[in-house]
Amino acid sequence: MKDSMHWYLPMQNHEKWLKKWINKGMLENKKTHNPKHWKSQVIGQCNSWLDNGLKERSMTRDLDWGVKVPVENSEGKVLYVWLDAPIGYISATKKYAKENNLNWEKYWKNNESELIHFIGKDNIVFHCVIFPIILKELGGYNLPTNVPANEFLNLEGEKLSTSKNWAIWLHEYLNDFKDQQDTLRYVLCATSPENKDTDFTWKDFQSRNNNELVAVFGNFINRVVVLTNKYWGGNVPKRNDLTINDKEILNSINNCSAKMGESIEKFKLREGLSELMNLARIGNKYLAENEPWKIMKTDIKRTETILNIALQISGSLAILCEPYLPFTSKKLKKLLNLNNCNWGAVNDCIINEAHKINEHEHLFKKIEDYEIEEQLKKLNE
């Protein structure tokens, strides 16, 4: 043990306004229509700190590495990482603004800007207590609008550990599963630990790819594009008389867009992804029940309507999947020959009659058992 001098942040002086600010997020949490609600676990962890009484916290360390303390008589002292790191967010913004001829203050000192921290639960206190105190002390800076922290993601039932090589390395994944970036994005979002700890397993990864992306999403697009090219030369057929079921299917497109948008704004990304896949399932079911390939010769007008509606679902999926599956979105837009389409363009008539689509290509690739065995073997080496 030895004596050492350090600089402290008087956190106890900020309890009153912090409690009011944090619990404002809790009140908004009860308003389900408010997209800015805070997660209950974030508010709960903050209140546990506040209820126990904040104490002054050292903001310096005795280390030979780190950012040196920029004051007199501070030789050998460096900044505590959770003082230094969040300030780095501002520094990075300043650097970006300078390089792009922008005003950095519009990001940090503007009522129209929002500061949102996407983090893990172990960093909640730093982004909800320490950094806000620093911003408040500086004056004029925006406080976080929301801190949608996730719980922990485990790997094959155990905690991730890079030192023990119990991890999935991105560069290796991209090499082993070439052009399948979206599969990893999909599975990570589908198993995202938004409210509780979850587990990533390679078997689940394979199952979700083969049974959901390939068998549902990819299969629907495959059938629609193949039928359109085979019987209509790639031209979108016209829409004729609509049945009650047809109208319900078309309404589901608009409903999906609204529900996904609301889920994403509430940071319920897993819920939004579920809505996306549900629209693909609706499309598959619609084709299976109406069987356009069977009635083609006996009722051409009905077949045209079925394919037209299926193509509207396809076009909507191309746009709606972009936040989750950007590579798939790009490929599907090219396949359907959709240009300059954004979220606002999603509706029940996104592709016009006689619009020309391109030849079919598979969106997703099936993952075989041997590929999964190789990944499991790599973990245990």
Side-chain angles (χ1 to χ4, degrees):
M1 299 292 290
K2 66 178 181 179
D3 290 334
S4 182
M5 182 180 73
H6 287 287
W7 282 258
Y8 285 75
L9 181 67
M11 292 168 55
Q12 69 278 10
N13 297 344
H14 298 268
E15 280 187 21
K16 188 175 181 180
W17 74 263
L18 271 173
K19 199 168 187 69
K20 184 178 180 181
W21 174 64
I22 291 295
N23 286 286
K24 181 176 181 289
M26 181 172 68
L27 290 173
E28 290 180 343
N29 188 42
K30 295 177 181 178
K31 301 177 184 177
T32 56
H33 66 278
N34 192 322
K36 307 303 179 188
H37 71 284
W38 286 44
K39 290 185 177 182
S40 58
Q41 65 263 35
V42 175
I43 297 168
Q45 189 177 134
C46 291
N47 278 330
S48 69
W49 276 69
L50 292 164
D51 292 343
N52 289 326
L54 295 179
K55 298 176 178 60
E56 57 186 13
R57 190 179 181 109
S58 172
M59 292 290 113
T60 57
R61 295 290 187 270
D62 290 319
L63 295 170
D64 56 7
W65 58 272
V67 178
K68 294 181 180 179
V69 177
V71 296
E72 292 182 8
N73 302 318
S74 60
E75 290 75 16
K77 309 290 180 181
V78 297
L79 296 178
Y80 172 45
V81 66
W82 283 111
L83 171 70
D84 165 45
I87 294 174
Y89 305 154
I90 304 174
S91 303
T93 309
K94 284 186 175 183
K95 184 175 185 294
Y96 174 82
K98 185 177 180 180
E99 292 173 350
N100 292 274
N101 196 29
L102 298 170
N103 180 5
W104 72 270
E105 291 190 346
K106 287 185 177 180
Y107 294 87
W108 288 92
K109 297 183 176 183
N110 189 327
N111 290 334
E112 295 181 2
S113 297
E114 292 189 30
L115 176 60
I116 301 170
H117 295 294
F118 293 93
I119 58 169
K121 63 181 178 181
D122 52 335
N123 290 333
I124 288 175
V125 65
F126 307 117
H127 291 81
C128 291
V129 178
I130 292 179
F131 190 40
I133 288 176
I134 295 168
L135 293 174
K136 190 81 168 179
E137 280 290 326
L138 287 169
Y141 283 80
N142 296 339
L143 295 180
T145 305
N146 207 323
V147 184
N150 280 346
E151 304 292 296
F152 290 147
L153 178 69
N154 296 321
L155 173 60
E156 297 288 349
E158 297 182 28
K159 289 185 178 180
L160 287 159
S161 174
T162 55
S163 61
K164 296 178 181 178
N165 199 38
W166 194 256
I168 298 172
W169 303 98
L170 187 57
H171 68 282
E172 292 183 1
Y173 173 88
L174 294 174
N175 183 61
D176 295 342
F177 296 94
K178 190 172 178 57
D179 297 326
Q180 290 180 277
Q181 302 96 322
D182 278 353
T183 299
L184 184 59
R185 291 174 65 100
Y186 177 80
V187 176
L188 285 175
C189 190
T191 57
S192 176
E194 292 180 347
N195 302 111
K196 62 179 181 180
D197 292 357
T198 56
D199 196 31
F200 177 95
T201 69
W202 278 113
K203 284 293 185 182
D204 182 60
F205 169 83
Q206 180 189 28
S207 176
R208 288 184 182 275
N209 177 78
N210 294 352
N211 300 331
E212 296 173 21
L213 290 179
V214 175
V216 178
F217 196 127
N219 181 56
F220 170 68
I221 297 299
N222 176 55
R223 291 201 285 182
V224 174
V225 173
V226 167
L227 286 171
T228 303
N229 276 292
K230 183 176 181 180
Y231 296 110
W232 276 273
N235 296 302
V236 176
K238 62 182 178 180
R239 187 185 302 179
N240 301 299
D241 295 336
L242 298 176
T243 65
I244 293 176
N245 180 239
D246 291 338
K247 293 176 182 178
E248 290 175 348
I249 296 298
L250 290 171
N251 284 335
S252 68
I253 294 175
N254 296 324
N255 290 338
C256 181
S257 173
K259 288 178 180 177
M260 281 187 68
E262 184 178 356
S263 296
I264 291 171
E265 286 186 344
K266 288 183 176 180
F267 311 108
K268 296 182 177 181
L269 304 184
R270 195 170 59 195
E271 181 180 270
L273 182 61
S274 178
E275 293 291 344
L276 175 73
M277 290 304 296
N278 186 51
L279 181 60
R281 289 188 177 91
I282 288 172
N284 260 327
K285 184 181 178 184
Y286 179 68
L287 287 181
E289 290 177 346
N290 288 278
E291 299 181 313
W293 49 86
K294 283 189 178 181
I295 64 172
M296 198 12 224
K297 294 181 179 179
T298 58
D299 196 342
I300 187 68
K301 285 190 175 182
R302 180 63 190 148
T303 308
E304 286 177 334
T305 300
I306 294 168
L307 261 294
N308 181 287
I309 291 173
L311 282 161
Q312 306 311 325
I313 296 174
S314 302
S316 298
L317 287 171
I319 295 171
L320 295 175
C321 77
E322 186 172 10
Y324 297 95
L325 311 170
F327 297 92
T328 301
S329 175
K330 184 177 181 180
K331 188 186 294 185
L332 184 50
K333 285 177 183 177
K334 181 180 178 182
L335 187 61
L336 298 175
N337 200 19
L338 289 176
N339 300 312
N340 302 320
C341 287
N342 55 35
W343 197 278
V346 175
N347 56 55
D348 57 14
C349 192
I350 193 172
I351 303 181
N352 296 324
E353 177 188 335
H355 174 86
K356 178 79 173 179
I357 68 171
N358 293 311
E359 291 293 328
H360 168 261
E361 64 173 302
H362 290 291
L363 294 179
F364 306 102
K365 174 187 171 186
K366 189 176 180 181
I367 294 173
E368 304 297 340
D369 289 344
Y370 77 88
E371 296 178 272
I372 298 304
E373 292 303 322
E374 286 179 2
Q375 297 304 319
L376 291 171
K377 181 181 178 182
K378 191 181 293 186
L379 272 178
N380 291 293
E381 287 178 347

